[in-house]
Amino acid sequence: MSKIGIFYGPQLGSVEKVAHVIESKFGADKVELIAVKNISETELNRFDKVIFGMSTIGKTNWDSDYKDTDWDVFATLIEKANWDDKKVAMYCLGDHVQYPQHFVDALGWVYERLKNTSAEVVGFCSTEGYVYEESEGLKDGHFLGLPVDEDNEADKTAVRVENWINRLVNEFGY
Ligand SMILES: Cc1cc2nc3c(=O)[nH]c(=O)nc-3n(C[C@H](O)[C@H](O)[C@H](O)COP(=O)(O)O)c2cc1C
């Protein structure tokens, strides 16, 4: 069974913390964690099941907020890489109290880059149990990946991740 690649960024904060939660749920021998900041196309090609981990950072001017971040650089790679026969799921950190109108918007930002590739995006998530006003991370009434709010609901992270992975295992055909 091929390993799952968890491509995450930024490093050292909540995104990385949740990458380790996911790692422990799957089992360390089943996944490989790679910071998007250091990723190369060759590395991308090693995996056919990939999880993207990201955070949402501001929305006064979306494009300028995402410039010079780890994900800004990786976005270029997403668009030019070969995603044939690959499945991608996403999780996204956000803060529903400070940013209720832009909750986990980054899911939408990354999905925009993925949707024109041949990648199959899986791991959509019900909005049940989440409090927010608006989000660009929604499609057809579902979040495009797993929202996680470590700033206000850290106590819910383990269960949220566990439930998500239980579904993801099937969708990944793992
Ligand atoms: C400047 C700034 C802007 C943010 N903007 C948003 C936002 O628009 N939507 C949201 O859901 N969370 C927003 N957040 C919350 C972060 O996504 C959240 O704190 C996340 O856990 C940070 O992950 P990290 O520690 O890995 O960087 C923002 C945080 C900061 C510091």
Side-chain angles (χ1 to χ4, degrees):
M1 191 69 74
S2 63
K3 282 192 175 183
I4 296 167
I6 302 183
F7 302 165
Y8 71 94
Q11 294 170 270
L12 304 176
S14 297
V15 171
E16 181 164 332
K17 183 181 165 191
V18 174
H20 286 292
V21 175
I22 294 172
E23 178 185 37
S24 68
K25 301 272 181 213
F26 271 110
D29 56 326
K30 305 245 173 20
V31 303
E32 204 171 313
L33 267 59
I34 300 169
V36 294
K37 197 175 180 177
N38 307 323
I39 212 160
S40 68
E41 200 167 341
T42 321
E43 211 142 31
L44 204 65
N45 288 335
R46 287 171 43 219
F47 302 93
D48 55 10
K49 297 172 186 65
V50 175
I51 295 175
F52 285 172
M54 70 213 71
S55 57
T56 306
I57 45 154
K59 176 62 184 169
T60 31
N61 183 334
W62 192 249
D63 287 335
S64 71
D65 282 341
Y66 268 83
K67 281 241 156 60
D68 303 323
T69 67
D70 300 4
W71 276 92
D72 181 40
V73 175
F74 185 52
T76 315
L77 188 55
I78 291 176
E79 284 164 326
K80 70 172 196 173
N82 180 2
W83 292 96
D84 288 354
D85 304 318
K86 291 181 193 283
K87 293 184 181 181
V88 181
M90 302 187 277
Y91 71 89
C92 183
L93 273 292
D95 176 340
H96 82 281
V97 175
Q98 296 290 328
Y99 305 95
Q101 298 183 338
H102 297 287
F103 184 53
V104 296
D105 276 0
L107 284 174
W109 187 82
V110 175
Y111 183 75
E112 280 301 305
R113 271 118 197 109
L114 262 178
K115 73 175 189 196
N116 296 326
T117 73
S118 52
E120 183 183 348
V121 183
V122 298
F124 288 14
C125 196
S126 163
T127 56
E128 208 180 308
Y130 291 96
V131 177
Y132 63 96
E133 290 168 26
E134 287 171 41
S135 174
E136 289 183 8
L138 291 167
K139 185 173 184 286
D140 303 330
H142 282 75
F143 285 114
L144 290 155
L146 174 73
V148 182
D149 185 344
E150 275 286 299
D151 296 341
N152 309 286
E153 300 178 323
D155 55 325
K156 296 187 179 172
T157 299
V159 171
R160 282 175 170 167
V161 169
E162 181 146 16
N163 291 340
W164 185 64
I165 287 179
N166 287 343
R167 295 195 307 275
L168 204 54
V169 167
N170 292 329
E171 290 182 72
F172 268 166
Y174 201 70

